[in-house]
Amino acid sequence: MLNGPEQIKPTNQKPMRLRNEIAKESFLRRMRRQRLKYITILPSLVTIINGACGFAAISFASQGAESATGQFSYHRLTLPYFALSGYMILMSMVADMLDGRLARMSQSTSSFGGQLDSLCDIISFGVAPAFLMLKILEHKIGTLEINPVLVSFLERFFWLAAAVYISCAAIRLARFNVENEEDESAHMNFVGLPTPAAAGVIVSLVIFHQETVPDILTNPGRDWSTGGVVNFLLDDLLLYLLPILAVGLSVLMVSRIRYAHVINQYIRGKKPFAHLIRAIVFFGLIIWQRQFAFILIFCGFAASGFLRWLYYSIIRKNQPITGESTTALE
């Protein structure tokens, strides 16, 4: 029996339906605040061109594997499909250099531009060179009369090397997005081999194999042009080294080895006179023999960071300290 009226305790809990509506409205407000309203047209358009060139490279590589002649002709332009695929990847590199430069010149850098750039880069410098390598190798072993078991093993190895390359390129780009600083003055070095440089190594070898090697092997002025060791080294071994190089490039992309930012270190701003001489030599080499120049530039750049790391971390580290240096340390 109650001695007085029942005391009802006040509660602050709202009905479940009301709480759900409040949470939904709060979520919609956040989405409206995060909705992208304005973008910079010119840098974004150049970035899209980057991805479109990468897609074109994939298309030309596929046609090169299926075409009987393997030649692309348009008016006076005649190129092997595989070489044309490589040139499209090089055009993607030009667009990749321009979009960031245009965004910084117009002071319109944004997170949207960075994400769009990485999505196009994985197409042009990840999928396209791996697909090009895979198709040219499949086309090559398709012309050879070898054991079907060996063919199956080689195809799986080629596919695995391409998959490793694509995976490491994606990891490299994702890590760059997380660790990247918007201040361009901080971009004096890259941590790990940049994806355009890795793609350039594969592309330069493919272009050299498709354009220069046939002219060397069919030159009637050379006694060894009909075959032999030189034929094997230039025609066969050059292609079969591609998957091994792809795996090595994959390791360099995800490594912590530092590579120089060529534009910021050697071109942008006031530089020593010797840098101008080097630039003239490189441009002259490209005009004189572009296929050989591409190999020299991209393979040299990929090897430069690794050799510098090897020298400072292993060779120089193990050198004994001389008496003069010990005195200086003391």
Side-chain angles (χ1 to χ4, degrees), residues 10-11 42 63 101 166 173 181 185 251 292 307 310 325:
T11 177
L42 186 58
Q63 294 181 44
R101 187 67 52 182
I166 294 173
L173 291 169
E181 299 180 12
S185 62
V251 175
F292 178 73
L307 293 178
L310 187 67
S325 60

Side-chain angles (χ1 to χ4, degrees), residues 243-293:
I244 300 175
L245 283 174
V247 175
L249 294 170
S250 303
V251 175
L252 291 177
M253 281 191 290
V254 298
S255 69
R256 287 290 176 179
I257 297 175
R258 292 191 172 272
Y259 284 85
H261 194 302
V262 176
I263 295 179
N264 287 348
Q265 285 201 20
Y266 301 105
I267 298 178
R268 186 169 178 263
K270 293 185 178 180
K271 301 298 178 183
F273 184 75
H275 289 190
L276 176 62
I277 302 300
R278 294 193 190 105
I280 294 174
V281 170
F282 277 117
F283 278 112
L285 185 61
I286 291 174
I287 296 173
W288 173 61
Q289 183 60 262
R290 65 178 183 276
Q291 294 87 354
F292 178 73

Side-chain angles (χ1 to χ4, degrees), residues 138-247:
E138 289 179 351
H139 180 74
K140 179 64 178 179
I141 62 175
T143 60
L144 302 177
E145 297 181 358
I146 56 179
N147 193 322
V149 177
L150 180 59
V151 171
S152 177
F153 171 78
L154 289 176
E155 288 179 346
R156 293 181 182 183
F157 175 67
F158 298 156
W159 186 92
L160 180 63
V164 170
Y165 178 88
I166 294 173
S167 302
C168 291
I171 294 172
R172 170 71 176 81
L173 291 169
R175 187 182 68 184
F176 178 80
N177 287 345
V178 174
E179 299 179 351
N180 183 38
E181 299 180 12
E182 294 185 1
D183 184 12
E184 189 181 6
S185 62
H187 296 169
M188 301 304 292
N189 293 282
F190 293 106
V191 179
L193 180 65
T195 52
V201 174
I202 297 175
V203 165
S204 62
L205 293 176
V206 170
I207 292 176
F208 181 80
H209 177 269
Q210 292 292 299
E211 289 194 302
T212 306
V213 170
D215 295 337
I216 295 176
L217 297 181
T218 58
N219 189 349
R222 299 182 183 273
D223 298 334
W224 41 261
S225 61
T226 57
V229 177
V230 176
N231 193 340
F232 171 76
L233 291 176
L234 293 179
D235 191 22
D236 298 330
L237 187 61
L238 183 64
L239 283 183
Y240 295 141
L241 283 176
L242 282 178
I244 300 175
L245 283 174
V247 175

